[in-house]
């Protein structure tokens, strides 16, 4: 019955002549009612470092999500799953890792239809343009993950009122992020186990087994910033991400940030860790963060509140503190 009503609504609306306000309301209504769907999209990221492509498959069933991100050029694939038990990151040949419990609601994800609709709702005064087959909205507002990207263009199909493309760029058009939706299926036939995650305890390999003394030597202390801009250290968490030991220090206040540390002696580069930490921007350059390293450790600061200069000030202030 719900499906029939949804299709009838689309057909009925398609027969009407709509003004800009009507179109806005129809797009919002269709988007908010679409809580189950499957979408395939191509995400393109252009930065000073070059251009990258990520193929996306997004499956949603109410508050359950299954998102596949594939970078074919680099041979990388990651999957994020949200189900009744929590949120998990899955990579090839790796044990599923618990992820942020509030994903994907904690920040906008350009590839999620709900995020696109929420962005449009927040800017009803957006510039409106009608083309032959699409409706286009241009929004002058900085992207939360990268304030330098200030021009957001949202394009919707005239017949279905579903997103066709999300394009975000800077004033100089020297970098951008685009998500082109190849298909959106509103009546998906999900596999019964699509949102299931099988958790298994991983036994260490012989070459990974270390003595207690070796482990104490390698984790006898951490770097702490002396400049925190009056933010308080709220939590220090050591966890495994893609098989690497990562220390995440969460600082809270009016300019919260997270300081991430990865020991260089581990087999993989920090880039693999950052692709996990940065979530929806998995394969993007680190425009929203600050990356640096010393002789032993690679660091990353993630914050939506700090300026690049403030992140650099924190980075240059870190000092080694031994565990007591």
């Amino acid at each position: 019955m719900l499906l029939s009503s949804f299709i009838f609504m689309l057909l009925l609306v398609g027969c009407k002549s709509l003004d800009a306000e009507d179109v806005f309301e129809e797009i919002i209504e269709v988007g908010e009612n679409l809580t189950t769907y499957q979408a395939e999209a191509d995400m393109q990221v252009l930065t000073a470092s070059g251009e990258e492509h990520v193929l996306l498959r997004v499956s949603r069933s109410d508050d359950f999500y299954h998102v596949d991100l594939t970078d074919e050029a680099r041979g990388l694939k990651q999957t994020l799953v949200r189900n009744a038990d929590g949120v998990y990151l899955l990579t090839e040949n790796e044990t599923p890792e618990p992820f942020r419990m509030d994903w994907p609601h904690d920040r906008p994800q350009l590839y999620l239809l709900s995020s696109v609709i929420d962005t449009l709702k927040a800017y009803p005064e957006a510039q409106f343009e009608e083309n032959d087959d699409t409706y286009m909205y241009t929004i002058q507002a900085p992207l939360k993950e990268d304030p330098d990207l200030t021009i957001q263009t949202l394009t919707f199909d005239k017949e279905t009122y579903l997103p066709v493309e999300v394009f975000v760029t800077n004033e100089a058009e020297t970098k951008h992020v685009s998500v082109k939706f190849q298909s959106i299926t509103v009546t998906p036939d999900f596999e019964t186990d699509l949102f299931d995650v099988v958790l298994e305890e991983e036994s260490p390999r012989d070459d990974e087994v270390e003595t207690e003394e070796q482990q104490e030597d390698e984790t006898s202390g951490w770097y702490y910033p002396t400049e925190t801009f009056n933010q308080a250290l709220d939590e220090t968490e050591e966890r495994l991400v893609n098989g690497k030991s990562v220390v995440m220090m969460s600082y809270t206040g009016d300019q919260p940030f997270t300081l991430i540390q990865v020991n260089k002696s581990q087999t993989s580069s920090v880039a693999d860790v950052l692709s996990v930490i940065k979530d929806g921007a998995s394969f993007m350059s680190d425009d929203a963060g600050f990356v640096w390293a010393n002789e032993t450790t690679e660091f990353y600061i993630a914050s939506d509140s700090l300026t690049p200069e403030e992140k650099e000030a924190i980075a240059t202030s870190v000092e080694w503190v031994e565990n007591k």
Side-chain angles (χ1 to χ4, degrees):
M1 187 66 180
L2 179 61
L3 172 59
S4 299
S5 300
F6 178 76
I7 294 176
F8 179 75
M9 178 182 65
L10 292 182
L11 293 174
L12 181 63
V13 169
C15 297
K16 295 191 296 183
S17 177
L18 304 177
D19 59 20
E21 184 177 351
D22 291 331
V23 171
F24 182 88
E25 292 176 354
E26 295 294 347
I27 289 175
I28 299 300
E29 182 177 359
V30 169
E32 290 185 333
N33 288 333
L34 194 58
T35 58
T36 296
Y37 67 88
Q38 187 168 76
E40 295 189 357
D42 179 11
M43 182 168 71
Q44 180 190 70
V45 182
L46 176 66
T47 67
S49 304
E51 186 176 272
E52 297 179 6
H53 289 267
V54 178
L55 301 178
L56 297 148
R57 171 173 285 187
V58 180
S59 302
R60 178 186 176 185
S61 179
D62 294 325
D63 202 36
F64 286 9
Y65 292 83
H66 180 115
V67 179
D68 293 321
L69 304 98
T70 304
D71 185 337
E72 293 182 336
R74 296 198 291 171
L76 297 175
K77 181 177 180 179
Q78 296 180 338
T79 300
L80 285 165
V81 176
R82 178 186 180 94
N83 58 27
D85 298 322
V87 181
Y88 301 94
L89 171 78
L90 294 81
T91 56
E92 294 180 336
N93 303 319
E94 297 281 353
T95 300
E97 291 286 344
F99 201 61
R100 294 197 313 270
M101 292 303 296
D102 52 357
W103 180 89
H105 308 304
D106 55 345
R107 67 187 67 182
Q109 314 292 336
L110 296 180
Y111 51 80
L112 293 183
L113 303 192
S114 56
S115 291
V116 179
I117 296 303
D118 287 344
T119 299
L120 183 60
K121 284 178 60 178
Y123 298 95
E125 74 286 356
Q127 178 183 336
F128 173 74
E129 179 181 340
E130 180 177 357
N131 300 307
D132 290 341
D133 301 316
T134 60
Y135 298 116
M136 182 181 299
Y137 292 88
T138 301
I139 299 170
Q140 299 285 340
L143 191 68
K144 185 177 181 180
E145 287 77 6
D146 184 356
D148 190 37
L149 298 175
T150 58
I151 304 174
Q152 305 185 45
T153 303
L154 312 180
T155 304
F156 298 86
D157 184 90
K158 257 189 175 181
E159 294 185 0
T160 65
Y161 298 97
L162 296 174
V164 174
E165 181 180 9
V166 177
F167 186 85
V168 188
T169 187
N170 59 350
E171 292 286 349
E173 297 184 353
T174 56
K175 62 180 182 178
H176 68 245
V177 180
S178 75
V179 178
K180 294 183 178 180
F181 292 94
Q182 311 299 333
S183 66
I184 300 176
T185 304
V186 299
T187 57
D189 184 16
F190 292 138
E191 297 178 4
T192 56
D193 61 349
L194 179 65
F195 302 100
D196 294 344
V197 175
V198 179
L199 301 177
E200 298 179 355
E201 292 190 7
E202 188 176 28
S203 299
R205 301 191 308 265
D206 291 341
D207 59 351
E208 292 179 335
V209 177
E210 298 177 321
T211 66
E212 184 175 345
E213 291 182 357
Q214 287 175 318
Q215 292 176 345
E216 289 179 353
D217 288 341
E218 292 180 3
T219 59
S220 58
W222 301 111
Y223 287 91
Y224 292 83
T226 57
E227 174 60 83
T228 64
F229 294 96
N230 298 317
Q231 308 308 293
L233 179 60
D234 180 60
E235 182 182 13
T236 300
E237 178 185 9
E238 183 175 359
R239 58 186 291 189
L240 285 177
V241 178
N242 275 2
K244 292 166 283 293
S245 178
V246 179
V247 176
M248 304 175 65
M249 298 178 178
S250 300
Y251 287 78
T252 59
D254 57 352
Q255 292 178 289
F257 67 90
T258 300
L259 173 62
I260 301 163
Q261 305 180 38
V262 185
N263 192 288
K264 278 187 174 181
S265 64
Q266 299 180 91
T267 56
S268 298
S269 69
V270 70
D272 293 331
V273 177
L274 298 185
S275 69
V276 173
I277 299 301
K278 287 178 69 58
D279 184 27
S282 292
F283 304 99
M284 292 174 61
S285 297
D286 298 294
D287 299 313
F290 192 89
V291 182
W292 80 102
N294 60 21
E295 293 181 354
T296 63
T297 307
E298 292 177 303
F299 304 88
Y300 176 68
I301 291 179
S303 175
D304 295 324
S305 305
L306 296 171
T307 65
E309 292 75 19
E310 289 169 333
K311 294 173 185 175
E312 184 174 359
I314 294 173
T316 56
S317 76
V318 296
E319 294 183 355
W320 176 262
V321 176
E322 290 188 1
N323 293 333
K324 297 181 181 180

